[in-house]
Amino acid sequence: MARRTHTHPDLTRPDAPAPFFSTWRVGTPERQRETVEAIAATWERRAWPAEGGLGYYVYAGHDGTTLLHHSQWAREQDYEAFVKTQRQERVDEIDTAVPGIERVALDRYRRYRSRERVAGDTRVAGLVVLVRIDFVEGAVEQRRPWVDLVLDALVEPPESDRGLISAHFHLSQDGTHVLNYAEWESAESYDAAIAAPGEGIGSPDPEWERIRTYPAVKEFTARRYSYALGLVPE
């Protein structure tokens, strides 16, 4: 069986090398809430996936229309087995409770590197920002050097970036993009970092300008989410 947890996922856990992220469009804030409750009820009534399922987390998009899903698996084969034997009945029950959900995409990743939270930092993330960095065709091998540049820039964050708790960079298995799952103390601290002059994430200094104008990078897309539901095995 599944049980709810208020603990955010550990993106660095070594036993979860197969992370998945997906997006659902549900239409309105009310339907966001209804869908989250339908997911919880559906999973709590059923046996947890027998092999390899480590956690399932849902986030409400600040756009009021989407839900982000993050699941952690020990192996991709375990997820595939779940799809074959258990996923559809759960989808059917959720769709009965909240008709008209649009399932946009499911992407598979491997985490490359992280800027982990500082030892002793017990802050709970009030905001999760998912940044997708799309690369030009054929630039698969340029993704790691770009992430390395970002993490070098984040080694000693300036005062304006103190609201950043952690940042976890994932490489898409299709080779097209990098996904950064960043935990922030609050939406206000994120806005302040982006808007701050001088050094830091939002600054025009040469280090960050090089990151933003990296030749292989095609596009940045950032979306904001709030933690809505965590499910783990009992």
Side-chain angles (χ1 to χ4, degrees):
M1 301 295 287
R3 66 173 177 84
R4 299 193 196 199
T5 177
H6 296 293
T7 302
H8 287 231
D10 176 4
L11 277 291
T12 66
R13 60 184 296 178
D15 60 341
F20 292 76
F21 290 89
S22 64
T23 304
W24 294 2
R25 289 198 185 102
V26 296
T28 67
E30 181 181 4
R31 282 173 56 85
Q32 282 181 323
R33 293 187 291 271
E34 291 173 351
T35 304
V36 168
E37 286 307 311
I39 293 168
T42 298
W43 278 72
E44 287 172 333
R45 279 196 289 268
R46 286 171 170 78
W48 188 261
E51 296 292 338
L54 303 174
Y56 175 28
Y57 304 88
V58 183
Y59 308 76
H62 285 201
D63 60 5
T65 69
T66 56
L67 293 174
L68 170 71
H69 304 255
H70 170 51
S71 58
Q72 296 181 318
W73 296 84
R75 303 181 309 161
E76 282 195 29
Q77 298 95 309
D78 298 325
Y79 172 75
E80 299 295 349
F82 165 73
V83 169
K84 289 179 180 179
T85 60
Q86 300 183 47
R87 181 178 181 274
Q88 192 58 51
E89 65 177 12
R90 298 174 195 232
V91 167
D92 291 343
E93 182 169 332
I94 293 165
D95 284 352
T96 298
V98 189
I101 295 170
E102 179 187 356
R103 292 171 176 83
V104 180
L106 173 70
D107 291 310
R108 304 170 185 230
Y109 295 90
R110 290 290 183 269
R111 186 180 65 87
Y112 171 50
R113 291 183 63 191
S114 294
R115 191 268 203 185
E116 299 186 39
R117 67 169 61 224
V118 176
D121 184 352
T122 60
R123 288 175 296 172
V124 176
L127 176 72
V128 170
V129 178
L130 223 67
V131 184
R132 173 171 168 145
I133 306 94
D134 284 291
F135 283 69
V136 299
E137 186 174 355
V140 175
E141 298 306 319
Q142 293 298 310
R143 298 180 301 168
R144 288 179 174 84
W146 181 86
V147 173
D148 295 340
L149 284 176
V150 176
L151 288 173
D152 286 346
L154 289 173
V155 168
E156 292 294 339
E159 190 63 35
S160 64
D161 295 351
R162 297 299 181 188
L164 178 63
I165 298 171
S166 68
H168 307 278
F169 293 86
H170 298 74
L171 307 180
S172 67
Q173 291 201 45
D174 65 5
T176 63
H177 64 279
V178 170
L179 192 73
N180 174 20
Y181 175 109
E183 295 182 296
W184 288 82
E185 186 173 353
S186 65
E188 292 76 17
S189 65
Y190 174 69
D191 289 337
I194 295 300
E199 296 182 351
I201 289 172
S203 74
D205 73 52
E207 190 172 28
W208 282 104
E209 189 64 20
R210 183 184 177 196
I211 290 167
R212 285 191 291 268
T213 61
Y214 195 79
V217 171
K218 183 169 62 176
E219 184 180 17
F220 295 84
T221 307
R223 292 188 169 88
R224 304 179 183 211
Y225 298 92
S226 294
Y227 185 87
L229 175 68
L231 295 167
V232 294
E234 283 190 335

